[in-house]
Amino acid sequence: MDREERLEAFEKMLADTEKNYGDAQRRMDELRAAGKEKSATYRQFMGNKLLYRQLLSMYELYGLKERE
């Protein structure tokens, strides 16, 4: 894999991570509005959101993404 392919793969991974983070937040908001904060689905989305936040924090730590 050359540098250009690696950069493209990184950019795609970053975009997917940001999208998944937003999607998890939206789903959590929907479940919260329905009063399902204690459901397994809500907790699964919360775990996923925390994972995506950690990945985004690592990108920021290494200067690969601007801090929000």
Side-chain angles (χ1 to χ4, degrees), residues 4-43:
E4 187 65 30
E5 290 172 328
R6 285 177 57 111
L7 178 59
E8 287 176 25
F10 163 77
E11 293 292 345
K12 184 177 182 327
M13 183 178 172
L14 176 58
D16 287 348
T17 301
E18 290 174 326
K19 179 188 177 300
N20 290 337
Y21 179 81
D23 289 347
Q25 181 63 58
R26 279 188 288 286
R27 288 290 309 198
M28 287 174 64
D29 291 343
E30 291 170 3
L31 290 167
R32 188 178 305 114
K36 297 183 178 182
E37 297 99 332
K38 298 197 184 274
S39 70
T41 303
Y42 181 89
R43 291 175 186 208

Side-chain angles (χ1 to χ4, degrees), residues 52-66:
Y52 298 134
R53 178 71 256 163
Q54 182 63 30
L55 288 170
L56 293 171
S57 294
M58 292 294 291
Y59 289 134
E60 292 169 359
L61 178 67
Y62 285 89
L64 300 170
K65 179 183 180 324
E66 290 186 22

